[in-house]
Amino acid sequence: MKNWIDGALQGEAEAYEQLMTKFRGMALAVAYQKLEDMFLAEDAVQEAFTEAFANLSKLDNPDAFPGWFKVIVERQCYRQMRRKQHVTVPVMEIQDLFQEEDQAHNPEEQALKGEVHRLLRESISILPSSMQLAVELFYFQGYSLKEMSEYLGVNVSALKKRLYDARSRLRRSLPVADVISVFTDLYEGGKGMLHIMNGDHAADRLRQSGIQGEILVWRELYTFGPLTREMRNEKARSERAQYLEQHLGIPQTEYLRIKELEQTLQAFHQYKEIVLWFEYDLYDQAMLSYLLHYFKEQDLRDTKLNLLCIDAYPDIEHFRGLGQLTPSQIGRLSGTWHVMGAEEIQAGSEFWTAYASSDIQDHKDYLLKNTSVLPFAHTAFKAHLSRLPSVSNGLGVIEQSTLEAVREGVDSPYPLFKHVGNHLHILGMGDLEYWAHLKRMTEEPHALLQLNGVQAFPDFQQQHDEFRHSVLSLTDLGVQVLNGEADWTLLRKDKSWIGGLQIGEGNDTPWRWDTVNETVVIL
């Protein structure tokens, strides 16, 4: 939350979008509750965001944003009420139009589902407004009780009571079987289905899409820092937490919350189905392989494990990830996942076993495997190995691409990140990870790049305008390495990791990446 607000204060468009995505659904629910008109509610929410962003600097405590923003939304609603009301189309009529369009795919199923939803909506309209809002946010939009509590300023126990009372009242107006069916199979906190994905932005889009189920955002980045095959080892985890804090600025306490995610994962038997939402790039494929490695060791019993993994989407020219999609576009992916068989799960586990290995031979051997059962695995694994020091100059593909871009005139940090990120989209590299690589390239005594216009490389979590407008240039060593006249890996002695492989600090690194033949060479 704090990072988003700090970014918004500094004029970062992505931070604005993240805040809007996070709170838009809840704000619309509050506004519609008061205005009973979706078009007016949309206007109120848009004006509320404008007012909030104009006054962000007045907010002393970033954690107070949810409640503070709710007050602004309510104030905009009251302003709307005082204005002249124009004739608008009722929101339910619009929903009916979309339902009619969807019925072309499966008329009988859509008609039945639409009727049940209509009955449920009508019954909910007789509930007190506080219960209506709780039902809307929890069952229909999929927000967690914690998120609702922060936004509404109501404690979790009170929200649970409202939901319990709402269910009790609904059972009086609907057949019991209907209520149980709708809330258990479609709405009730995702008891029937668990969606696992990376990225809060994509998760918010999924939540708004209408696809039902609980969402687990897996907050890890297996493309950076020390790894072991068994990531739950306490000593290894502690060392990883320290490394990520030192090099990415992620507080150890924040990283170690991965334990909470693992507790949810360990309780997977409560779900009838699990859907893994991932993409083609290395970032996602490494995360997917870790999860499949975990599930391979479990008795799934009656739980179905599904996979949705894509590298393209209609009408999106340069698809990079699910976060690009609108809620309606993500909604169209519903049901396009497939049930994973033992062969796929085994293949995912083999990816992880090789990727997290400290033995270079395991990495070499994996490239020779037939991995076609997971169509993006081979390309992603090859991209992983391309980060190794090359035989020509000791640069990995990230350093090589960066120096080439600076030589071509892309010399400002943010355009450089965009340029390299697009060129190496197969890596799925985030900004924090890239800044760590860029910082490493500017560090003496073997700096490849010089950063001008800023005294020191800033804290990764709080970028400054000076850094944004700074200029990068090649050092003499950078030119020599880029021309193949020096080997950067032989000069540097610091420690880093490529998957489970350690480079530097006492490790002679007797293996390199052959960029021409795309294979590992052992010197």
Side-chain angles (χ1 to χ4, degrees):
M1 180 78 69
K2 184 178 185 300
N3 293 339
W4 292 348
I5 291 176
D6 288 344
L9 285 170
Q10 294 172 25
E12 294 178 11
E14 184 177 357
Y16 281 123
E17 184 178 359
Q18 288 171 326
L19 280 171
M20 291 178 68
T21 301
K22 178 72 174 175
F23 293 100
R24 185 175 182 276
M26 286 190 280
L28 275 175
V30 168
Y32 182 72
Q33 198 73 30
K34 294 187 177 298
L35 299 171
E36 298 182 346
D37 185 300
M38 186 55 72
F39 289 100
L40 295 177
E42 289 272 8
D43 287 344
V45 169
Q46 187 58 49
E47 291 179 16
F49 273 120
T50 301
E51 181 181 344
F53 291 149
N55 292 279
L56 265 182
S57 59
K58 300 176 183 178
L59 183 64
D60 294 329
N61 179 12
D63 291 335
F65 181 89
W68 178 73
F69 181 58
K70 176 174 176 284
V71 172
I72 294 176
V73 172
E74 291 175 332
R75 183 162 61 242
Q76 289 295 342
C77 288
Y78 293 134
R79 289 174 182 168
Q80 287 280 9
M81 292 176 186
R82 290 196 297 269
R83 294 173 186 165
K84 181 179 180 180
Q85 306 271 324
H86 296 283
V87 177
T88 56
V89 181
V91 66
M92 292 308 295
E93 289 183 19
I94 295 174
Q95 291 175 349
D96 288 342
L97 289 175
F98 283 115
Q99 286 178 2
E100 288 172 9
E101 182 179 331
D102 288 340
Q103 284 170 6
H105 300 290
N106 192 332
E108 183 176 352
E109 180 182 342
Q110 289 296 328
L112 180 60
K113 185 180 290 187
E115 180 62 13
V116 173
H117 286 200
R118 185 186 64 78
L119 289 171
L120 186 62
R121 285 283 190 180
E122 288 180 358
S123 299
I124 288 171
S125 66
I126 66 173
L127 297 174
S129 60
S130 61
M131 288 186 194
Q132 286 187 44
L133 186 56
V135 167
E136 175 70 29
L137 292 176
F138 187 73
Y139 291 128
F140 288 90
Q141 297 198 32
Y143 286 100
S144 69
L145 289 170
K146 183 175 181 295
E147 290 171 323
M148 292 165 58
S149 176
E150 291 174 350
Y151 185 74
L152 299 175
V154 179
N155 65 52
V156 170
S157 297
L159 289 171
K160 286 182 177 179
K161 180 67 165 58
R162 289 181 188 179
L163 291 170
Y164 175 82
D165 290 342
R167 286 195 298 267
S168 298
R169 294 196 184 197
L170 286 170
R171 286 192 177 96
R172 301 171 197 163
S173 57
L174 280 173
V176 173
D178 283 349
V179 175
I180 293 174
S181 173
V182 171
F183 280 161
T184 299
D185 296 336
L186 299 177
Y187 295 118
E188 189 146 23
K191 284 185 177 179
M193 184 171 285
L194 175 67
H195 302 279
I196 304 178
M197 64 195 322
N198 78 74
D200 290 289
H201 184 65
D204 286 334
R205 295 292 175 91
L206 175 60
R207 182 179 291 112
Q208 296 167 26
S209 71
I211 297 175
Q212 301 304 318
E214 286 189 23
I215 300 172
L216 176 62
V217 179
W218 197 255
R219 293 182 174 87
E220 249 287 15
L221 64 163
Y222 299 115
T223 52
F224 192 88
L227 296 179
T228 61
R229 285 177 173 173
E230 301 304 325
M231 293 293 289
R232 284 170 287 176
N233 177 281
E234 288 298 325
K235 183 175 183 296
R237 174 172 283 162
S238 176
E239 292 175 354
R240 177 165 170 76
Q242 293 173 32
Y243 188 88
L244 294 182
E245 181 175 72
Q246 178 185 354
H247 293 274
L248 298 185
I250 299 173
Q252 293 185 46
T253 52
E254 183 176 330
Y255 170 73
L256 290 173
R257 292 183 65 184
I258 190 74
K259 295 178 182 178
E260 299 173 14
L261 305 183
E262 287 174 347
Q263 290 173 357
T264 300
L265 196 62
Q266 290 165 7
F268 73 88
H269 281 123
Q270 67 180 290
Y271 303 100
K272 296 177 182 178
E273 292 189 65
I274 297 172
V275 183
L276 304 173
W277 295 70
F278 289 99
E279 298 141 18
Y280 66 97
D281 56 58
L282 173 62
Y283 185 97
D284 274 46
Q285 290 295 301
M287 189 178 295
L288 171 62
S289 72
Y290 173 80
L291 292 168
L292 293 179
H293 180 68
Y294 170 82
F295 283 116
K296 176 182 174 291
E297 303 300 321
Q298 311 303 314
D299 179 6
L300 293 176
R301 299 202 292 254
D302 295 328
T303 300
K304 274 198 302 187
L305 190 62
N306 302 283
L307 176 63
L308 184 146
C309 193
I310 59 176
D311 65 343
Y313 191 92
D315 302 326
I316 293 186
E317 185 176 357
H318 301 294
F319 177 80
R320 297 291 182 262
L322 294 164
Q324 290 176 273
L325 307 184
T326 65
S328 61
Q329 287 173 325
I330 284 185
R332 294 186 195 114
L333 293 174
S334 177
T336 62
W337 46 74
H338 70 274
V339 179
M340 300 194 76
E343 188 180 7
E344 285 178 285
I345 297 172
Q346 173 67 26
S349 178
E350 289 175 356
F351 183 114
W352 176 258
T353 301
Y355 180 79
S357 173
S358 60
D359 186 343
I360 188 62
Q361 192 61 45
D362 291 332
H363 297 255
K364 286 192 66 177
D365 290 345
Y366 184 82
L367 280 184
L368 301 177
K369 285 180 176 288
N370 180 359
T371 60
S372 57
V373 67
L374 292 175
F376 306 122
H378 183 80
T379 302
F381 202 88
K382 195 159 57 175
H384 146 61
L385 292 175
S386 73
R387 300 176 299 162
L388 292 173
S390 72
V391 294
S392 60
N393 57 12
L395 295 179
V397 69
I398 297 172
E399 294 85 13
Q400 181 75 27
S401 297
T402 296
L403 294 190
E404 289 175 353
V406 173
R407 184 173 61 184
E408 293 167 7
V410 187
D411 56 5
S412 188
Y414 284 87
L416 184 61
F417 167 57
K418 183 178 180 181
H419 176 91
V420 174
N422 286 336
H423 180 60
L424 302 178
H425 60 86
I426 186 61
L427 296 180
M429 180 171 51
D431 56 352
L432 287 184
E433 185 179 351
Y434 184 67
W435 300 143
H437 286 286
L438 191 61
K439 180 181 181 183
R440 187 167 176 257
M441 284 184 273
T442 63
E443 290 175 338
E444 296 292 354
H446 304 295
L448 301 172
L449 293 168
Q450 180 176 340
L451 185 62
N452 306 294
V454 62
Q455 291 185 345
F457 216 96
D459 180 272
F460 295 113
Q461 299 284 353
Q462 297 180 354
Q463 304 294 354
H464 303 289
D465 286 339
E466 292 178 350
F467 176 70
R468 181 180 293 277
H469 299 295
S470 60
V471 177
L472 290 150
S473 58
L474 293 172
T475 63
D476 290 341
L477 177 61
V479 173
Q480 292 172 14
V481 171
L482 198 52
N483 291 336
E485 300 166 357
D487 190 301
W488 195 49
T489 296
L490 294 181
L491 296 172
R492 293 196 64 89
K493 301 299 180 184
D494 61 324
K495 182 167 57 176
S496 61
W497 277 267
I498 305 293
L501 299 169
Q502 181 182 324
I503 299 174
E505 198 175 84
N507 188 330
D508 293 335
T509 316
W511 22 260
R512 298 297 182 94
W513 180 248
D514 184 337
T515 56
V516 176
N517 297 307
E518 296 187 318
T519 186
V520 173
V521 175
I522 298 181
L523 303 177

